[in-house]
């Protein structure tokens, strides 16, 4: 009864989960674990082979990821780093391709092989930096935006290359007219989508989505529908589905509940992206890996070192600090999933042999794995480099450019703006405390004198964004038993004191057991107030 | 690709419509599927996949939401009511189905399908009305959980019937094995998973891996996938794992559930006249028989007539699990498509009608029709007021409560609750006669044991108020939960000072306008919080220093209050009552 696709998906999920759990000790980033899981299932044991439906899920993952990127970044945020992205991204392509060609030549490869290797090195991955930066909540940071900008610029280049390649495959297609036509269609379509995104963002989407309301189930389905619409249009114009999804996200970015939306799409995206990486591992053609390990390794080292150094240099030249340069370089110093596609195409068209594919696969695996570690721990590594005075030697030329976001810490988070929440906020603010008020309804957050944040405190991602780990205190005034228990639990786990509303006295013990530091017994307080009222009425005279 | 796009678009429309009418989306999703099938636009090649994926995920998430802790305090009631209600409706349903001419096995399916009520619809309604944590709300949730469990356990039994006794035995063995595995997971694996503090994404993957393992085992053991998925969810349901997972699973659930329910609709297309007739009859059975049965049972268990009726009317629909049950039957070839269509229609109709059927207005109307309302408000004898010296003076002569005459000159506490004990003791110490009114049978029992004069009844019911002597009380305080009840109270009581406990400021406004004195307990709570916060801040604001002490004190204080009330309820003479400062 189990279809092969279901069985393979099931195996992938199990292998992925097991691998992640096993590699936690070595602090391995989850996506690396997924690649290894895929390597185990595919090349190593042959338990799983590439399936159409699995690939569709993986593709959906990339599309959703770019959708989320679009949701988080408005075009305005990207415009700021546009120039940087073009210069740095363009430079990276040249350096990587040139250097790769030289090394390939030194290893004695043929002309066609050198070309393909150079082309494969030119592009850096979209999904690795975007996924990890999103995980670290750094997509809108300076280096995050630059990395995304570079990614988008290179995506455009990919379209050009793909158009060329389809022309190469088709004998008539190689004519200049055909190629121009293909490009024209693609870019024309992109402009159309862009216009559509901007117009709908202004006129169509706000009334529709605001009517739907926050925290309604339909919100997810509606946004998925919208994303899908753009993807379909993109494919009709021979564009990649990612560009369509990205623009769909951009058009939804200025809605009031875009953060809520992001948090809803996130788990779905995470699941599909995990499948993507596992299937990437499965599809790695490591057949000739044993023989090709030396060139593969050398090229990988070259990519990593050259790109890291290059980005440090170019970002400093453009006026940023070396920290930004380091973080950006760490994010993009790998080759792309598209590089694998390119090499596979080359093999299928007979231009190169399988060994080259293995070389590209090795470089992909190594550079993706290493940069995954680099991205995840980039701050710590930077500090280490700073200590050893390897970095930190160059003055920032343009301080206005290199602006970093503030982290809030030592603040008090108050969840739930009902009568109790509002009173607590007012009184804390009067004492001079830094307060962040949280609620799921925009109306409840109106008219408050402190910082506000819209969203559902049940989600740990939201709590992280609210800076819970660095908060002084978390207060919940909610009258929802399960959310309160969860907040108590998170408080204990993060080492943050919590004061939780036990809206019925019987709930107090459970809350304390779940880890609450203090419980607010509102009914008991009310009873005492009633006693006071009785006293004023002369009952106890 | 286009098929998927069609499904998504149909789901979007269904959600839009459900938002417009502010109702649960399930019936509209089903109707959307029916419409698609009618206009021949349904992507049939996706049907099988959509159903299986959807079924698995929906049941998995249902399993994770199964939380006995939500039922706190009403477990006995829930089990009692749930089992009898399930049995009665199942039998009645089977009987009617047989009368309508269905085969025996089919009739059994129909009966069981009718007996389950919809967790999704009811919990959503209770949350909306903020009644989830009231005693009747908890009892209803308990009944729902029991029904879920019963349906899930009977699915494999029914599908295995053609395999004869050995087949059923084998199936049962398989289920028992899976249930054992699920409980083992709940006990040992789930807590460990929670403690691992995984990032959301690996956590989700691990949870789904557990699902895959259970489903694979289910297939191996010849148990229906539905049961495997549900038990996988159950395995992951202990706190805090469930709460942590919920954020991750919610969108996955929304997505797959939407696809699932649309596909269900797509299965049937347009129903014929006999299907419609049968659906009408069965729906009538559910709506007209379930409420009286449940109401009678809950009233017997000690709830007021109104709470009992509310519970009964809330449970008057069939469940998404009923659909799962019948779907499995159809996939196993044991029931015909027409039967499935009939039950689908019953579910859609009863779900759509539930908000209206269980509304306050309907409850009021039905209450008037019900003969012999219970409980007839009766006061229990109260204790003699304490003869202890208070500040050197002796209190006025103690009044012995008489059974027949309504009290007067007393302090009336409407909705006393367990938290009212300190207040009671203080009033006694001041020499007052106190009468309490509450509808929660547990509370009433506690008070009675403590020899407090208590009237068991609905505090907004005029008869109850009369028996409690509201018109002639010295002063009344109301801690009734529902604003509408307080409003009725304010209209009824005119000459006695009435303090009404409210949480929100808007409520304080209209209480004042209606002539009462609002006690805004959110304000009181905020004051107490600030008092604690001052200490917390002075203590350096760390969880170890200022935090631990108040927590400890709170815990002790909490226990103390409970202990003291417990002591005073036992009426120990050597213990001084804890009175309020």
């Amino acid at each position: 009864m189990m279809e092969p696709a279901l069985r393979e998906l099931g195996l992938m999920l199990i292998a992925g989960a097991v691998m992640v759990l096993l590699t936690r000790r070595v602090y391995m980033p989850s996506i690396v674990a997924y690649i290894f899981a895929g390597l185990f299932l595919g090349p190593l044991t042959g338990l799983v082979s590439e399936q159409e439906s699995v690939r569709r899920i993986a593709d959906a993952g990339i599309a959703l990821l770019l959708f989320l990127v679009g949701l988080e970044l408005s075009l305005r945020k990207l415009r700021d780093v546009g120039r940087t992205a073009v210069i740095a991204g363009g430079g990276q392509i040249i350096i990587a391709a040139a250097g790769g060609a030289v090394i390939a030549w030194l290893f004695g490869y043929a002309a066609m092989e050198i070309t393909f290797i150079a082309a494969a090195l030119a592009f850096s991955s979209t999904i690795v930096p975007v996924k990890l930066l999103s995980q670290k909540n750094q997509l809108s940071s300076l280096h995050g935006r630059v990395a995304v900008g570079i990614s988008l610029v290179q995506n455009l280049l990919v379209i050009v290359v793909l158009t060329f390649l389809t022309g190469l495959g088709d004998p008539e297609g190689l004519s200049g007219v055909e190629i121009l036509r293909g490009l024209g269609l693609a870019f024309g379509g992109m402009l159309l989508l862009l216009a559509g995104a901007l117009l709908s963002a202004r006129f169509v989407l706000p009334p529709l989505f605001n009517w739907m309301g926050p925290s309604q189930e339909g919100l997810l389905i509606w946004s998925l529908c919208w994303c899908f619409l753009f993807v379909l249009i993109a494919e009709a114009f021979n564009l990649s589905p990612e560009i369509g999804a990205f623009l769909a996200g951009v058009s939804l970015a200025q809605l009031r509940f875009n953060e809520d939306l992001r948090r809803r799409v996130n788990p779905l995206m995470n699941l599909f992206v995990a499948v993507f990486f596992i299937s990437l591992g499965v599809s790695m053609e490591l057949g000739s890996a044993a023989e090709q390990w030396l060139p593969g390794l050398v090229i990988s080292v070259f990519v990593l070192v050259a790109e890291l150094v290059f980005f440090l240099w170019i970002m400093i030249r453009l006026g940023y600090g070396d920290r930004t340069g380091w973080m950006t370089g760490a994010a993009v110093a790998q080759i792309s999933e598209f590089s694998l596609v390119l090499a596979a195409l080359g093999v299928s068209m007979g231009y190169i042999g399988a060994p080259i594919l293995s070389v590209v696969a090795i470089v992909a695996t190594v550079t993706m794995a290493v940069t995954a570690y680099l991205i995840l721990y980039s701050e710590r590594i930077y500090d280490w480099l700073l200590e050893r005075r390897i970095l930190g030697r160059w003055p920032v030329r343009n301080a206005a450019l290199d602006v970093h976001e503030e982290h809030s810490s030592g603040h008090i988070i108050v969840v739930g703006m009902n009568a109790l929440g509002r009173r607590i906020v007012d009184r804390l603010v009067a004492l001079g405390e830094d307060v962040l008020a949280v609620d799921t309804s925009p109306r409840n957050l109106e008219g408050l004198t402190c910082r506000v944040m819209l969203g559902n405190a049940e989600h740990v991602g939201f709590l992280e964004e609210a800076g819970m780990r660095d908060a002084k205190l978390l207060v919940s005034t909610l009258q929802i038993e399960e959310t309160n228990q969860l907040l108590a639990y998170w408080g204990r786990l993060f080492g943050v004191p919590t004061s939780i509303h036990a809206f019925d006295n019987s709930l107090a013990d459970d809350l304390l057991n779940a880890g609450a530091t203090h419980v607010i017994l509102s009914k008991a307080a009310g009873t005492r107030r009633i006693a006071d009222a009785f006293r004023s009425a002369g009952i106890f005279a | 690709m286009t098929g998927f796009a069609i499904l998504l678009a149909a789901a979007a429309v269904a959600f839009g419509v459900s938002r417009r009418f502010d109702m649960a989306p399930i019936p509209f999703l089903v109707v959307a599927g029916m419409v698609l099938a009618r206009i021949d636009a349904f992507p049939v090649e996706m049907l099988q996949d959509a159903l299986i994926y959807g079924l698995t995920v929906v049941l998995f998430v249902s399993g994770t939401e199964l939380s006995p802790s939500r039922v706190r305090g009403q477990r006995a009631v829930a089990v009692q009511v749930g089992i009898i209600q399930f049995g009665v409706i199942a039998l009645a349903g089977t009987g009617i189905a047989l009368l309508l001419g269905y085969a025996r096995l089919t009739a059994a399916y129909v009966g069981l399908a009718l007996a389950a009520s919809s967790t999704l619809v009811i919990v959503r309604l209770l949350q909306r009305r903020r009644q989830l944590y009231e005693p009747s709300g908890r009892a209803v949730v308990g009944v729902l959980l029991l029904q879920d469990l019963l349906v899930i356990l009977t699915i494999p039994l029914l599908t295995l019937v053609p395999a004869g006794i050995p087949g059923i035995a084998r199936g049962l063995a398989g289920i028992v094995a899976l249930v054992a595995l699920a409980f083992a997971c709940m006990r040992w694996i789930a807590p460990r998973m929670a403690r691992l503090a995984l990032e959301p994404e690996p956590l989700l993957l691990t949870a789904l891996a557990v699902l895959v393992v259970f489903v694979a085992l289910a297939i191996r053991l010849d148990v229906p996938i539905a049961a495997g998925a549900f038990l996988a969810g159950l395995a992951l349901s202990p706190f805090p794992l469930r709460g942590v997972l919920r954020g991750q699973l919610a969108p996955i659930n929304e997505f797959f559930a939407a696809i699932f329910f649309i596909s269900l609709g797509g299965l049937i297309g347009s129903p014929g006249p006999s299907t419609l007739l049968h659906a009408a009859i069965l729906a009538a059975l559910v709506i007209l028989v379930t409420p009286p049965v449940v109401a009678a049972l809950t009233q017997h268990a000690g709830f007021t007539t109104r709470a009992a009726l509310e519970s009964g009317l809330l449970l008057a629909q069939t469940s998404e699990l009923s659909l799962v049950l019948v779907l499995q039957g159809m996939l196993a070839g044991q029931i015909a498509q027409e039967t499935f269509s009939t039950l689908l229609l019953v579910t859609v109709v009863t779900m759509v009608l539930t908000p209206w059927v269980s509304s306050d207005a309907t409850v009021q109307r039905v209450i008037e029709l019900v003969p012999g309302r219970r409980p007839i408000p009766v006061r229990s004898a109260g204790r003699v007021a304490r003869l202890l010296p208070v500040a050197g003076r002796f209190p006025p002569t103690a009044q012995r409560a008489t059974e027949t005459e309504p009290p007067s000159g007393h302090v009336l506490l409407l909705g006393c609750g367990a938290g009212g004990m300190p207040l009671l003791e203080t009033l006694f110490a001041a020499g007052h006669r106190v009468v309490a009114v509450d509808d929660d049978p547990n509370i009433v029992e506690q008070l009675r044991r403590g020899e407090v004069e208590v009237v068991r009844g609905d505090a907004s019911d005029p008869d109850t108020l009369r028996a409690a002597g509201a018109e002639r009380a010295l002063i009344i305080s109301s801690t009734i939960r529902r604003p509408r009840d307080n409003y009725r109270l304010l209209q009824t009581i005119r000459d006695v000072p009435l303090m009404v406990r409210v949480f929100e400021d808007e409520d304080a406004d209209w209480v004042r306008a209606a002539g009462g004195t609002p006690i805004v307990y959110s304000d009181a709570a905020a004051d107490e919080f600030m008092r604690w916060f001052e200490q917390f801040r002075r203590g350096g604001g760390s969880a170890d220093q200022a935090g631990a002490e108040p927590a400890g004190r709170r815990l002790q204080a909490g226990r103390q209050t409970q202990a003291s009330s417990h002591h005073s309820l036992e009426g120990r003479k050597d213990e001084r009552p804890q009175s309020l400062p």
Side-chain angles (χ1 to χ4, degrees):
Chain A
M1 203 221 186
M2 257 305 206
E3 294 173 37
L6 235 80
R7 185 182 144 272
E8 304 220 323
L9 192 60
L11 277 175
M12 283 172 140
L13 286 175
I14 296 183
V18 167
M19 197 55 89
V20 166
L21 289 172
L22 284 179
T23 56
R24 286 190 87 219
R25 285 301 171 78
V26 293
Y27 299 106
M28 187 181 279
S30 52
I31 64 180
V32 182
Y34 297 148
I35 296 181
F36 283 171
L39 286 174
F40 174 79
L41 283 178
L44 218 59
T45 57
L47 278 171
V48 163
S49 59
E50 266 277 26
Q51 281 276 348
E52 175 74 22
S53 47
V54 169
R55 204 155 50 79
R56 258 191 267 137
I57 295 182
D59 289 342
I62 312 184
L64 277 181
L65 183 61
L66 272 268
F67 177 61
L68 276 178
V69 173
L71 259 184
E72 172 145 8
L73 303 176
S74 59
L75 282 178
R76 196 174 15 99
K77 286 197 211 175
L78 282 177
R79 231 193 351 228
D80 301 340
V81 297
R83 184 170 155 270
T84 312
V86 170
I87 296 177
Q92 176 201 18
I93 292 178
I94 298 173
I95 300 243
V102 167
I103 297 186
W105 177 73
L106 284 175
F107 268 104
Y109 287 114
M112 213 21 143
E113 299 174 326
I114 296 179
T115 318
F116 267 89
I117 288 182
L121 293 194
F123 301 101
S124 64
S125 168
T126 302
I127 197 168
V128 169
V130 168
K131 170 72 170 78
L132 286 171
L133 287 172
S134 163
Q135 206 170 295
K136 291 175 72 184
N137 267 322
Q138 287 181 348
L139 268 180
S140 12
S141 70
L142 187 57
H143 63 276
R145 282 180 281 143
V146 175
V148 170
I150 292 176
S151 193
L152 288 172
V153 163
Q154 292 187 345
N155 252 293
L156 293 177
L157 206 58
V158 165
I159 296 176
V160 176
V161 173
L162 271 178
T163 318
F164 254 114
L165 278 180
T166 31
L168 269 178
D170 177 14
E172 302 144 37
L174 205 44
S175 74
V177 175
E178 278 301 316
I179 293 189
L180 273 178
R181 187 167 155 279
L183 284 178
L185 193 67
F187 281 97
M190 196 151 57
L191 283 174
L192 185 71
L193 275 179
L194 190 60
L198 291 174
L199 283 175
S200 55
R202 193 83 187 285
F203 301 112
V204 174
L205 295 174
L208 265 181
F209 275 77
N210 288 337
W211 171 77
M212 194 50 168
S215 311
Q216 296 280 351
E217 303 111 313
L219 213 55
L220 177 69
I221 300 286
W222 274 29
S223 33
L224 287 179
C225 236
W226 185 248
C227 177
F228 208 72
L229 180 67
F230 269 66
V231 165
L232 283 179
I233 299 179
E235 293 201 322
F237 282 102
N238 272 338
L239 290 167
S240 65
E242 287 95 62
I243 299 253
F246 173 73
L247 288 174
V250 162
S251 62
L252 287 169
Q254 56 255 56
L255 285 181
R256 261 195 305 194
F257 355 98
N258 74 341
E259 286 170 6
D260 196 36
L261 205 49
R262 256 192 295 137
R263 269 167 238 126
R264 278 166 182 259
V265 178
N266 223 311
L268 214 54
M269 181 273 294
N270 277 333
L271 176 61
F272 291 169
V273 163
V275 171
F276 169 83
F277 279 109
I278 300 176
S279 63
L280 189 69
V282 166
S283 64
M284 286 282 189
E285 295 283 354
L286 290 174
S288 329
E291 301 121 45
Q292 305 294 331
W293 68 271
L294 189 59
L297 197 58
V298 170
I299 297 182
S300 308
V301 170
F302 162 73
V303 167
L304 286 167
V305 172
E307 294 197 0
L308 279 171
V309 168
F310 168 73
F311 270 98
L312 267 173
W313 176 77
I314 191 78
M315 297 292 276
I316 291 177
R317 282 227 59 184
L318 285 170
Y320 297 92
D322 63 359
R323 190 171 193 271
T324 310
W326 160 256
M327 308 271 274
T328 315
V332 295
Q334 78 279 109
I335 69 173
S336 172
E337 46 279 356
F338 173 68
S339 315
L340 292 166
V341 169
L342 195 61
L345 262 174
V347 169
S348 71
M349 289 198 277
Y351 288 113
I352 54 175
I356 303 300
L357 188 51
S358 299
V359 171
V360 176
I362 293 175
V363 176
T365 315
V366 172
T367 53
M368 281 188 185
V370 172
T371 47
Y373 269 100
L374 286 181
I375 297 175
L376 223 50
Y377 303 112
S378 48
E379 287 92 350
R380 257 185 261 178
I381 301 179
Y382 178 76
D383 291 337
W384 184 86
L385 289 171
L386 201 61
E387 267 173 51
R388 292 194 177 25
R389 310 198 110 259
I390 302 177
L391 290 180
R393 301 211 230 148
W394 303 276
V396 178
R397 280 204 210 170
N398 191 344
L401 268 181
D402 203 298
V403 169
H404 293 281
E405 297 196 338
E406 305 264 317
H407 280 303
S408 50
S409 80
H411 54 299
I412 301 180
I413 306 176
V414 183
V415 179
M417 287 298 110
N418 52 28
L420 179 59
R422 298 184 83 99
R423 283 181 159 84
I424 290 183
V425 164
D426 286 339
R427 292 174 211 202
L428 287 176
V429 167
L431 282 181
E433 296 283 346
D434 179 15
V435 178
L436 176 67
V438 167
D439 201 279
T440 51
S441 159
R443 206 165 14 107
N444 293 354
L445 292 173
E446 283 168 21
L448 287 172
T449 48
C450 63
R451 287 187 291 141
V452 300
M453 201 162 153
L454 180 70
N456 192 336
E458 256 190 5
H459 301 166
V460 69
F462 175 78
L463 290 175
E464 302 249 10
E465 273 180 57
M468 181 169 173
R469 288 188 196 261
D470 302 315
K472 180 157 78 173
L473 173 69
L474 178 94
V475 181
S476 170
T477 64
L478 297 173
Q479 292 173 293
I480 307 172
E481 191 172 343
E482 304 198 336
T483 312
N484 280 347
Q485 280 190 329
L486 205 57
L487 289 171
Y489 171 77
W490 287 126
R492 176 155 66 182
L493 204 62
F494 293 162
V496 176
T498 49
S499 170
I500 314 278
H501 184 196
F503 52 94
D504 193 80
N505 298 342
S506 60
L507 301 170
D509 274 339
D510 278 344
L511 284 173
L512 290 166
N513 285 333
T517 314
H518 168 254
V519 291
I520 304 176
L521 292 162
S522 56
K523 286 198 179 164
T527 308
R528 277 188 272 276
R529 197 48 89 85
I530 293 179
D532 289 341
F534 278 179
R535 197 165 290 123
S536 329
I539 300 291
F540 299 128
Chain B
M1 256 310 173
T2 21
F4 186 66
I6 295 179
L7 285 182
L8 258 188
V13 171
F15 274 106
V17 175
S18 83
R19 168 77 180 87
R20 173 71 180 77
F21 293 111
D22 209 12
M23 294 174 58
I26 295 182
F28 299 101
L29 287 167
V30 173
V31 169
M34 285 167 70
V35 166
L36 277 184
R38 186 79 163 88
I39 61 177
D40 249 335
F42 196 93
V44 203
E45 71 282 3
M46 304 198 63
L47 193 60
Q48 182 89 335
D49 280 347
L51 282 175
I52 298 204
Y53 277 113
L55 186 80
T56 313
V57 171
V58 165
L59 281 174
F60 175 59
V61 176
S62 295
T64 62
E65 295 287 336
L66 202 73
S67 172
S69 69
R70 275 194 196 172
V71 189
R72 176 207 313 280
Q74 306 295 338
R75 223 165 281 189
V77 174
V79 171
Q80 221 179 358
V81 174
I83 292 189
I84 301 181
Q85 174 262 343
F86 197 80
V88 167
I89 304 291
L91 283 171
T94 314
I96 302 246
L98 286 172
L99 279 174
L100 285 173
Y102 289 102
R104 261 191 310 192
L105 191 57
T106 310
Y109 268 99
V110 171
L112 282 170
L114 292 180
S117 312
S118 170
T119 310
L120 290 174
V121 167
I122 295 181
V123 169
R124 183 196 171 94
L125 268 177
L126 284 175
Q127 277 169 342
R128 186 79 47 86
R129 296 176 185 171
R130 295 175 190 265
Q131 292 169 10
L132 201 56
Y133 303 108
E134 292 187 10
S136 58
R138 291 189 192 272
V140 165
V141 170
V143 168
L144 286 171
L145 297 183
L146 188 65
Q147 288 174 346
D148 285 352
L149 214 55
L150 287 172
V151 169
I152 293 293
L153 289 179
T154 47
I155 290 182
L157 289 178
L158 282 181
T159 47
L160 287 170
V161 158
I165 301 287
I168 296 189
R170 215 183 359 183
L172 259 180
I175 295 214
V176 167
L178 276 182
V179 169
L181 182 63
F183 274 103
C185 266
M186 281 174 81
R187 191 79 190 292
W188 291 299
I189 301 194
R192 221 161 271 157
M193 261 178 83
R195 252 177 277 140
L196 278 181
L198 288 168
E199 296 285 329
E201 161 214 312
L203 183 68
L204 177 63
L205 215 70
T206 312
L208 291 176
V210 169
L211 173 63
V212 169
V213 167
F214 268 81
V215 167
L217 280 175
I219 295 181
R220 249 321 162 72
L221 295 170
D222 235 345
V223 170
I225 298 184
F230 184 79
L231 289 172
L234 194 65
L236 298 175
S237 68
F239 179 86
L241 189 59
R242 173 189 74 243
V244 172
L245 267 180
R246 185 181 307 132
Q248 297 298 301
L249 285 179
I252 312 261
N253 189 33
E254 281 166 31
F255 180 69
F256 282 102
I259 306 287
F260 176 63
F261 287 111
I262 292 188
S263 308
L264 282 183
L267 257 186
I268 59 172
S270 19
S274 78
T275 313
L276 286 172
L277 180 65
H278 288 188
I281 296 177
L282 294 174
L285 173 75
V286 169
I287 296 185
L288 295 175
V289 175
T290 316
V293 170
V294 171
L297 290 168
T298 39
Q299 202 170 257
H300 179 76
F303 282 87
T304 60
T305 305
R306 194 173 75 162
L309 264 173
E310 279 174 355
S311 313
L313 289 167
L314 260 179
L315 287 167
Q317 80 284 116
T318 54
S319 170
E320 54 278 5
L321 284 186
S322 316
L323 296 178
V324 169
L325 172 70
V326 184
L327 180 68
Q328 285 277 188
M330 206 177 76
L331 289 176
Q334 289 173 323
I335 58 179
Q337 174 140 335
E338 289 82 56
T339 319
F340 176 76
S341 310
T342 313
L343 280 164
L344 193 60
L345 274 177
V346 171
T347 308
V348 169
V349 168
T350 52
M351 275 189 184
V352 167
L353 286 178
T354 300
W356 176 77
V357 160
S358 63
S359 68
D360 208 46
T362 316
V363 172
Q364 284 299 112
R365 241 172 273 146
V366 175
I367 272 193
E368 269 133 50
L369 302 171
V370 173
R373 271 171 26 231
R374 272 191 60 222
I376 301 164
V378 160
R379 257 179 316 115
S380 63
R383 75 174 85 160
V384 175
R386 300 210 167 233
L387 293 172
L388 297 163
V390 174
R393 291 184 296 125
F394 277 91
T397 325
Q399 263 185 302
R400 182 92 212 176
T402 51
E403 285 289 340
T404 47
E405 232 186 70
S408 66
H410 55 295
V411 175
L412 182 58
L413 301 179
L414 298 177
C416 176
M421 288 315 296
L423 184 59
L424 273 173
E425 297 297 342
T426 314
L427 289 168
F428 279 135
H432 283 289
R433 179 179 178 187
V434 182
V435 176
V437 172
D438 209 288
D439 61 356
D440 184 341
N442 292 342
I443 304 286
V444 169
E445 203 38 52
Q446 257 186 330
L447 291 171
R448 209 162 265 164
R449 264 187 273 127
E451 292 179 37
V452 176
E453 275 189 79
V454 56
V455 176
R456 185 181 64 170
D458 181 0
S460 66
D461 169 33
D463 286 339
T464 310
L465 290 172
R466 208 171 303 128
E471 283 298 321
R472 296 189 289 174
L474 184 58
I475 191 170
I476 304 179
S477 95
S478 161
T479 55
I480 303 175
R481 284 169 238 102
R482 301 191 199 172
R484 207 169 301 190
D485 293 346
N486 277 320
Y487 188 72
R488 265 187 232 128
L489 194 64
L490 282 163
Q491 305 297 93
T492 324
I493 309 281
R494 283 294 161 191
D495 303 311
V496 182
L498 181 54
M499 322 235 145
V500 180
R501 190 184 69 179
V502 295
F503 194 78
E504 296 282 345
D505 295 295
E506 303 92 64
D507 295 330
D509 290 335
W510 63 252
V511 164
R512 215 171 281 123
T517 311
I519 308 282
V520 187
Y521 75 107
S522 54
D523 197 61
D527 281 345
E528 303 224 341
F529 169 80
M530 292 312 292
R531 268 197 286 275
W532 171 80
F533 180 74
E534 290 288 342
Q535 245 177 337
F536 171 78
R537 207 160 65 140
R538 246 176 282 136
S542 76
D544 319 301
Q545 297 176 7
E549 213 224 314
R553 233 192 305 135
R554 273 286 158 205
L555 202 50
Q556 280 171 20
R559 299 240 168 88
Q560 233 177 9
T561 327
Q562 288 180 12
S564 68
S565 41
H566 187 68
H567 285 157
S568 55
L569 285 177
E570 302 283 270
R572 287 206 200 143
K573 289 180 218 118
D574 44 340
E575 296 270 348
R576 287 219 153 204
Q578 280 274 341
S579 48
L580 297 159

